[in-house]
Structure formats: structure tokens, C-alpha cells
Amino acid sequence: MNMETQLQVLTLENEKLKKDRDEMLKIISQMRITMNRLIDQYILVQEKK
């Protein structure tokens, strides 16, 4: 594999990894929101007891 081809392959892989990273950050953000809602709900239920 010559240098130019190798660079193209690595560039494509880098773009894919960036896309995957962005997707993971979105998922983590959603999980954090969900977790906070669950904790808030748990606190409300505990306060009513």
C-alpha cells in the first residue's frame, strides 16, 4: 500500500471514529437526562412516604 492510499484509509477511519464519538456523546447525554429524571422521581416518591 502506498502512502497516499494509506493516508486515505486512515482519513476515512478517522472520520468514522469521529462520527461514532459524536453518536456516543449524544447517547451519554440522553442517558444522563434519563438518569436525572429517575433520580428526581425517586426523591419525590421518598418525600411522599
Side-chain angles (χ1 to χ4, degrees), residues 29-41:
S29 176
Q30 272 304 118
M31 291 174 71
R32 183 175 290 131
I33 291 168
T34 301
M35 183 186 70
N36 286 335
R37 286 182 182 160
L38 285 169
I39 290 170
D40 288 345
Q41 184 65 30

